[in-house]
Amino acid sequence: MAPSLALLLALALSAALPAPRALAAARWPDRDPVLALRLWWCLIGTVMLCCLCALALCTAAAFPAVHAHLFAPAPESVLLAYAAGPSAPWATALAALLAAGGLWTALVVLRELLRDRSARRTHRRALRERAPQLPDGLAGPAATGETRGALLVLEDSYPDAWWLPGRDARLVVTTGALRLLRPEELDAVLAHERGHARARHHALLRLATALGDGFPGVPVFADLRAQTHRLVELCADDEASHRCGRLTAAVALIRLNEHRGVLSCSSSRGLMTHRVTRLLAPAPAAPDLPHRRRATALALGAPLLPLLIAFAPGLLALW
């Protein structure tokens, strides 16, 4: 059992330290943010599965009752393959550490979900108060909330547009944005927000925020939060540029955000400037399909490695 635990911990460290640093420093994610987003979350899934498998093996090694219950239906050769020896104090300490980490992860994710749910409820209540009251003859499905993803126009001079997720999901745009943007620019903004909605970027952002806030001293989770925020915006920008053109998407992004000061010289290294520069640059060449398939297979196969390592002793014993 000790070799399997060592391999699991080594794989977790490799997926949590050098791999995210190399991915964050790479330039190709700008050309294919969808693939980069998959790689990031497959790395995190690999780390989580390594810790979960190590927790199961350590708990079985530390507590004979758990070992007997976990491997009860297994043949004698499998029981011997997962035997930890007569004394394994290290297993108790490691199991306690991993269990504490797993419990804390569940708590921070639950806290973020409850916080997000409360914020959405408050936001939706405020929208209902500010939305115009239409006569009964004009109040269609969008006004009654029966259509998921309906467009809601909000009377507000501040130009803005955003996606409000949830059961009664809405795409909200203010009258200030309607007055400011030309029709093709408004289409680009709406395509951007619908790209977020289709890919469920909101769920990824909430989970990345929960892990980043819950483990502030762990670099991989801090990088995950920053890269997830960056990559989901690039993915949505690509959706808008594919539908409306790169120049139109860039101009819409500038006109909708210029009043916020995010394009000033003081923020020249910010995400917004990078997004506009990327859209104004020539379109990148189409990604190499075989390379993309190999990278996707590698990303999807990485989370299977912890399971293979955990089950390897038992499979070899049965061979």
Side-chain angles (χ1 to χ4, degrees):
M1 184 181 294
S4 296
L5 283 173
L7 287 175
L8 285 172
L9 295 178
L11 179 60
L13 290 176
S14 299
L17 294 176
R21 290 177 182 174
L23 188 55
R27 295 184 178 181
W28 67 263
D30 277 4
R31 299 191 300 271
D32 197 348
V34 175
L35 179 58
L37 199 59
R38 291 175 185 167
L39 283 174
W40 269 104
W41 283 97
C42 284
L43 283 176
I44 297 302
T46 302
V47 174
M48 296 294 186
L49 279 175
C50 283
C51 294
L52 186 61
C53 292
L55 174 61
L57 294 180
C58 287
T59 306
F63 303 100
V66 176
H67 186 280
H69 181 73
L70 189 61
F71 298 102
E76 185 67 23
S77 58
V78 175
L79 293 177
L80 293 176
Y82 286 102
S87 177
W90 53 267
T92 304
L94 187 56
L97 180 63
L98 292 172
L103 179 60
W104 179 247
T105 301
L107 288 176
V108 297
V109 171
L110 179 61
R111 180 186 64 182
E112 182 64 27
L113 291 177
L114 293 176
R115 183 188 301 170
D116 179 62
R117 182 179 179 182
S118 176
R120 286 206 313 264
R121 189 179 301 163
T122 302
H123 198 177
R124 194 172 286 109
R125 188 183 305 117
L127 286 179
R128 281 198 299 266
E129 295 174 355
R130 296 171 58 192
Q133 297 293 329
L134 298 178
D136 293 338
L138 298 179
T144 59
E146 297 174 2
T147 301
R148 180 177 174 84
L151 178 64
L152 176 64
V153 177
L154 192 65
E155 183 66 37
D156 194 337
S157 60
Y158 187 84
D160 204 356
W162 67 92
W163 175 257
L164 181 63
R167 297 180 189 175
D168 186 17
R170 294 294 183 90
L171 179 55
V172 185
V173 60
T174 65
T175 53
L178 296 180
R179 297 189 188 99
L180 178 67
L181 301 175
R182 293 193 290 268
E184 62 274 14
E185 296 167 357
L186 180 62
D187 288 342
V189 170
L190 298 182
H192 177 100
E193 297 302 329
R194 289 186 176 117
H196 283 313
R198 271 191 294 269
R200 299 186 181 276
H201 289 158
H202 177 77
L204 293 180
L205 288 171
R206 294 278 65 79
L207 186 54
T209 299
L211 294 174
D213 292 345
F215 299 92
V218 181
V220 63
F221 292 128
D223 292 340
L224 173 70
R225 177 173 54 185
Q227 291 297 321
T228 298
H229 177 67
R230 174 177 173 272
L231 291 172
V232 298
E233 294 299 334
L234 298 186
C235 291
D237 287 344
D238 287 347
E239 181 75 16
S241 66
H242 290 160
R243 291 179 175 273
C244 305
R246 298 177 68 85
L247 181 60
T248 301
V251 172
L253 194 60
I254 293 172
R255 289 171 62 85
L256 193 62
N257 292 279
E258 59 184 350
H259 62 284
R260 304 177 186 179
V262 294
L263 299 171
S264 62
C265 295
S266 60
S267 61
S268 59
R269 295 186 180 182
L271 176 60
M272 190 64 65
T273 303
H274 174 72
R275 291 168 58 193
V276 172
T277 304
R278 177 176 175 268
L279 287 171
L280 292 176
D288 184 11
L289 192 56
H291 170 73
R292 199 173 194 273
R293 287 175 177 171
R294 288 193 298 269
T296 302
L298 177 63
L300 296 178
L304 299 179
L305 287 177
L307 300 177
L308 180 61
I309 294 173
F311 287 110
L315 294 175
L316 292 176
L318 294 174
W319 187 262

